[in-house]
Amino acid sequence: MNQSPAGDAQGSGTYVGGSVTGNGIAVGAGASASYTSTSAPAGESYQALLQAVRELGEDLKRYPVTPETRELSASLEETERQVTTTGQAQPGVLTRLRTALEASGGVLGAITSATALGTAVAGLIGG
């Protein structure tokens, strides 16, 4: 957004131009700015989990909606949201995801993304 210089009562002018992404900028007397990132860096095991969650989410769109796949989809979304905002997933979220995976196993069969996700979850919570 560009604005023409605007004068104030003392005859000074201001010009605003260009754009800024990923930072906070404050200009002028008493100005303040803050920037909060909406994603957190995840460790390697959580990056693998996040990738598996996203892949299964995409694959799940090709399957019929059942109570089991609906629960799995909700668990995938919750897990993705938590990992992207905090860099990890709480044990309760992972347990819910594993339970949803097991419950929908008959519907999904042995698709690669479900197997990969099961392996990632097991690596994070054991077993």
Side-chain angles (χ1 to χ4, degrees):
M1 172 174 100
N2 290 326
Q3 294 179 350
S4 301
D8 61 15
Q10 294 138 352
S12 66
T14 303
Y15 175 79
V16 178
S19 65
V20 175
T21 302
N23 291 300
I25 296 176
V27 178
S32 67
S34 65
Y35 169 74
T36 304
S37 174
T38 57
S39 63
E44 189 175 310
S45 57
Y46 283 105
Q47 287 291 346
L49 173 69
L50 191 56
Q51 180 179 348
V53 161
R54 289 174 174 163
E55 287 175 7
L56 182 55
E58 285 301 310
D59 288 343
L60 196 57
K61 293 176 184 176
R62 293 186 284 276
Y63 284 82
V65 176
T66 66
E68 293 83 11
T69 60
R70 190 175 300 116
E71 175 62 25
L72 178 56
S73 181
S75 293
L76 291 169
E77 290 172 9
E78 179 182 19
T79 304
E80 181 176 5
R81 184 173 39 256
Q82 195 166 88
V83 173
T84 57
T85 58
T86 68
Q88 60 185 349
Q90 297 299 316
V93 170
L94 294 173
T95 299
R96 177 181 176 207
L97 180 57
R98 181 174 20 188
T99 301
L101 265 172
E102 291 169 353
S104 59
V107 176
L108 301 177
I111 63 171
T112 305
S113 60
T115 304
L117 181 57
T119 300
V121 170
L124 289 166
I125 62 175

